[in-house]
């Protein structure tokens, strides 16, 4: 791509730019580091008349998500942004947004949860709401954050899905890191996202509806089953839209991306920006003749278990890198799910867990190389490894 | 449960696409105190009708005809809001009312 098409943007700027081009009907948001800039920049677009959006300044994230749900039930295309404690404060309403099948889109910046108070990146915030019924898409860099946010609108609003989507970036690493990003022309984004045609609207007074009615023992289970079905149907929608995006704009997206994985003997599985660091480590190991590979997971919800198992089935040893911990004594959430996905394989690779980077602790190429070297020794049966290790913590 | 709709047939997210369905959901059997309305004492100020949270005060041509017992939950707001000098609604325990009814019969 010609260099002149590239713009210097931080992850937050890229997400705000995507929001401007999507031009949602309503944005209700409350500021929180490191996501503040997304809605701050966007509120500037509102003040400057660059978008048609009704911007609702609220008194908390709980109110932000509540206002988003109300606007969505009214038939509006709705977006918001938050991070960490803000997402935690939204938690009650996140479940309601999914249960009421509101196709909201949330720009989420991953940040550690208190205590101790910390403003830097880990994935504890979004992992804590992984069962809320939201589609969760992770981004490696600002370009992916921009592209994912644009696709998220279509995924959420697809009639087979109608579920909220959160697109995440790694706090500060992506949100505040300046990168070269290819922004699409406004008209292209407008044409890609199209118009939202809600089936029901609270504002359609000729056809009054009830939203949020009470289910007793007689109907609740059936409505939750519907959410599970919608999440399952989101799989094909995510893949189809990823292909359409590639056809139109040249960048392809699936559930995950492999790097030198096809002939690999050992591999690591990562989410987010660590994939970029890991690629350098993979290249260094390949130069030493070690068949290292990488799998970067993009879609965490729905969890692409079958596809992951197929992609990882021929490996001898895998390390799953978790930037959060379940604190269950059994490793991180990504580890749980990846290892579970591999259980039904006839012959399973060895799978270990590395919990790393909590509270923004830096992860280096050397750290990741050392993980690969331990896998190399494990695969050669020269060394055994504990199932869960903490990488980079001071003993 | 077996006669109810399966999850594939229900509206998405539990949306109720038709208005006025509360009429077909009878909440009267939740009640354990019963409002008894006296047409003799009633001055038809309609304060009870205004306050009733379940639209269970039956009114026609500006006059209170009585209580919709199929939907009245027995909250007693009507009796509380009825002006003190009028006192046209009395709350009676359902069990006592059953006895009153049996004695009349």
């Amino acid at each position: 791509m010609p260099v002149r098409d590239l713009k210097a943007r931080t992850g937050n700027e890229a997400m705000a730019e995507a929001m401007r081009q999507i031009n949602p009907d309503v944005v209700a948001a409350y500021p929180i580091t490191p996501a503040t800039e997304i809605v701050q920049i966007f509120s500037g677009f509102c003040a400057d008349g660059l978008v048609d959006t009704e911007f609702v300044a609220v008194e908390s994230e709980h109110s932000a998500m509540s206002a988003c749900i109300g606007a969505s039930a009214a038939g509006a295309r709705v977006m918001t942004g938050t991070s960490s404690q803000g997402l935690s404060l939204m938690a009650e309403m996140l479940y309601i947004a999914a249960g009421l099948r509101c196709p909201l889109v949330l720009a989420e910046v991953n940040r550690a949860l208190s205590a101790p108070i910390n403003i830097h990146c880990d994935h504890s915030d979004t992992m804590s709401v992984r069962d809320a019924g939201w589609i969760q898409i992770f981004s490696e860099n600002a370009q992916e954050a921009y592209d994912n946010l644009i696709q998220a609108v279509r995924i959420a609003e697809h009639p087979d899905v109608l579920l909220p989507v959160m697109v995440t970036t790694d706090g500060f690493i992506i949100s505040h890191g300046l990168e070269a990003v290819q922004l699409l022309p406004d008209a292209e984004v407008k044409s890609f996202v199209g118009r939202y045609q809600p089936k029901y609207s609270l504002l359609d007074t000729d056809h009054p509806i009830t939203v949020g009615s009470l289910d007793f023992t007689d109907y609740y289970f059936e409505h939750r089953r519907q959410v599970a079905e919608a999440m399952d149907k989101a799989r094909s929608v995510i893949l189809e839209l990823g292909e359409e995006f590639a056809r139109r704009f040249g960048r392809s997206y699936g559930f995950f991306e492999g790097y030198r994985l096809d002939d690999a003997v050992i591999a690591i599985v990562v989410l987010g920006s660590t994939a970029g660091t890991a690629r350098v480590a993979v290249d260094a190991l390949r130069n030493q003749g070690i068949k290292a590979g990488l799998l970067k997971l993009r879609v965490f919800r729905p969890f692409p278990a079958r596809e992951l198992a197929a992609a990882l089935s021929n490996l001898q040893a895998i390390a799953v890198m978790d930037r959060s911990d379940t604190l269950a004594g059994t490793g991180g959430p990504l580890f749980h799910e990846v290892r579970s996905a591999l259980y039904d394989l006839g012959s399973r690779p060895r799978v270990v867990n590395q919990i790393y980077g909590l509270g923004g602790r830096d992860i280096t190429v050397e750290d990741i190389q050392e993980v690969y070297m331990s896998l190399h020794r494990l695969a050669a049966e020269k060394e055994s490894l504990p199932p869960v290790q903490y990488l980079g913590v001071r003993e | 449960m077996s006669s109810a709709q399966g999850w594939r047939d229900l509206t998405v997210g539990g949306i109720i696409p038709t208005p006025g369905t509360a009429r077909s959901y009878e909440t009267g059997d939740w009640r354990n105190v019963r409002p008894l309305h006296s047409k003799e004492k009633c001055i038809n100020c309609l304060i009870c009708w205004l306050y009733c949270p379940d639209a269970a005060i039956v009114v026609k041509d500006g006059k209170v005809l009585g209580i919709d017992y199929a939907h009245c939950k027995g909250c007693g707001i009507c009796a509380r809001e009825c002006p003190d000098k009028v006192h046209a609604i009395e709350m009676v325990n359902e069990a006592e009312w059953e006895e009153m009814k049996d004695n009349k019969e």
Side-chain angles (χ1 to χ4, degrees):
Chain A
M1 137 193 1
V3 173
R4 65 174 179 277
D5 288 348
L6 296 173
K7 305 282 185 208
R9 291 286 186 275
T10 66
N12 282 348
E13 288 168 351
M15 284 179 123
E17 189 68 3
M19 287 174 71
R20 182 187 63 75
Q21 295 177 312
I22 292 162
N23 193 7
D25 300 310
V26 175
V27 168
Y30 191 83
I32 184 166
T33 301
T36 300
E37 279 178 331
I38 299 171
V39 287
Q40 179 187 331
I41 295 165
F42 185 78
S43 68
F45 296 148
C46 294
D48 294 343
L50 299 177
V51 288
D52 305 308
T53 309
E54 179 78 28
F55 188 92
V56 189
V58 288
E59 73 277 24
S60 75
E61 286 85 356
H62 189 282
S63 303
M65 188 43 60
S66 301
C68 287
I69 291 167
S72 180
R77 176 178 275 168
V78 186
M79 298 182 78
T80 186
T82 195
S83 176
S84 184
Q85 308 300 129
L87 191 71
S88 296
L89 189 52
M90 280 183 184
E92 179 189 15
M93 304 315 295
L94 294 177
Y95 277 76
I96 293 173
L100 294 180
R101 310 295 294 279
C102 298
L104 312 167
V105 175
L106 188 159
E108 218 286 335
V109 181
N110 282 120
R111 168 187 146 181
L113 292 173
S114 298
I117 193 166
N118 176 288
I119 57 168
H120 290 281
C121 174
D122 70 36
H123 298 157
S124 307
D125 52 357
T126 52
M127 287 299 171
S128 75
V129 293
R130 65 188 187 271
D131 300 335
W134 283 61
I135 291 165
Q136 294 188 325
I137 302 176
F138 284 76
S139 316
E140 181 186 334
N141 49 44
Q143 182 73 65
E144 289 192 3
Y146 173 81
D147 292 348
N148 284 336
L149 206 56
I150 291 166
Q151 290 172 67
V153 174
R154 289 274 303 279
I155 296 166
E157 292 172 3
H158 193 285
D160 291 344
V161 180
L162 291 175
L163 285 176
V165 181
M166 60 179 79
V167 173
T168 79
T169 67
D170 285 349
F172 290 105
I173 301 162
I174 303 173
S175 69
H176 287 62
L178 197 62
E179 297 176 32
V181 179
Q182 192 202 22
L183 302 172
L184 300 169
D186 289 358
E188 290 288 339
V189 177
K190 189 177 177 182
S191 145
F192 183 84
V193 297
R195 280 181 66 85
Y196 175 42
Q197 307 274 6
K199 190 174 177 191
Y200 299 107
S201 161
L202 283 174
L203 295 181
D204 179 3
T205 49
D206 291 333
H207 302 94
I209 56 166
T210 301
V211 176
S213 56
L214 175 69
D215 274 6
F216 281 125
T217 52
D218 50 358
Y219 281 105
Y220 180 87
F221 203 171
E222 280 69 25
H223 283 127
R224 296 308 294 179
R225 178 66 186 82
Q226 283 185 336
V227 178
E229 183 71 6
M231 194 58 94
D232 199 38
K233 285 193 169 156
R235 295 172 197 279
S236 56
V237 172
I238 291 167
L239 293 179
E240 282 161 22
L241 285 168
E243 282 167 22
E244 184 185 329
F245 194 89
R247 273 198 308 278
R248 292 174 73 158
F249 308 126
R251 290 184 293 276
S252 69
Y253 289 92
F255 292 140
F256 49 78
E257 184 188 327
Y259 182 69
R260 305 184 82 160
L261 191 62
D262 291 344
D263 67 335
V265 174
I266 56 173
I268 66 171
V269 177
V270 293
L271 288 165
S273 64
T274 307
T277 316
R279 276 196 193 84
V280 181
V282 168
D283 289 346
L285 289 156
R286 287 277 180 167
N287 288 340
Q288 296 171 35
I290 294 172
K291 288 190 166 179
L294 166 69
L295 188 144
K296 176 188 76 180
L297 186 62
R298 171 181 176 240
V299 179
F300 185 72
R301 284 290 181 271
F303 193 76
R306 210 171 35 220
E307 294 81 359
L308 263 180
L312 299 173
S313 61
N314 292 325
L315 292 157
Q316 287 182 20
I318 300 165
V320 179
M321 308 282 289
D322 263 293
R323 205 162 193 154
S324 64
D325 192 355
T326 61
L327 303 175
T330 54
L334 185 58
F335 176 58
H336 285 181
E337 305 226 8
V338 170
R339 202 158 66 154
S340 172
L342 298 175
Y343 187 81
D344 290 330
L345 290 175
S347 80
R348 295 188 288 268
R350 311 282 287 273
V351 193
V352 295
N353 191 203
Q354 291 280 359
I355 291 172
Y356 76 99
L358 300 188
R361 175 65 50 86
D362 198 17
I363 176 106
T364 65
V365 174
E366 291 71 30
D367 293 331
I368 295 173
Q369 276 182 326
E370 187 41 52
V371 172
Y372 277 114
M373 290 312 293
S374 70
L375 288 177
H376 183 59
R377 293 189 295 270
L378 178 70
E381 299 195 350
K382 286 178 183 163
E383 188 178 307
S384 64
L385 289 175
V388 182
Q389 292 180 88
Y390 290 87
L391 179 66
V393 73
R394 288 187 303 277
E395 295 298 337
Chain B
M1 216 65 56
S2 58
S3 62
Q5 286 174 297
W7 63 267
R8 291 171 207 276
D9 302 319
L10 295 174
T11 55
V12 165
I15 278 177
I16 300 174
T18 46
T21 52
R23 275 190 209 99
S24 59
Y25 187 48
E26 298 198 345
T27 50
D29 61 357
W30 299 12
R31 186 179 58 243
N32 56 22
V33 276
R34 165 178 288 248
L36 294 179
H37 172 252
S38 162
K39 279 185 188 166
E40 292 72 38
K41 291 183 186 172
C42 181
I43 58 168
N44 294 304
C45 65
L46 303 189
I47 288 176
C48 58
W49 171 79
L50 195 64
Y51 275 87
C52 175
D54 286 299
I57 307 292
V58 184
V59 171
K60 196 179 179 193
D61 299 330
K63 289 196 164 36
V64 177
L65 299 185
I67 313 288
D68 170 8
Y69 290 113
H71 295 94
C72 168
K73 297 185 189 124
C75 69
I77 290 173
C78 55
R80 166 78 175 244
E81 297 300 331
C82 184
D84 288 345
K85 289 177 185 171
V86 180
H87 198 65
I89 298 173
E90 190 186 353
M91 298 305 291
V92 179
N93 188 292
E94 283 287 338
E96 287 172 23
W97 185 78
E98 287 290 332
E99 281 176 26
M100 281 164 59
K101 195 176 66 173
D102 290 345
N103 292 343
K104 273 182 193 170
E105 285 166 4

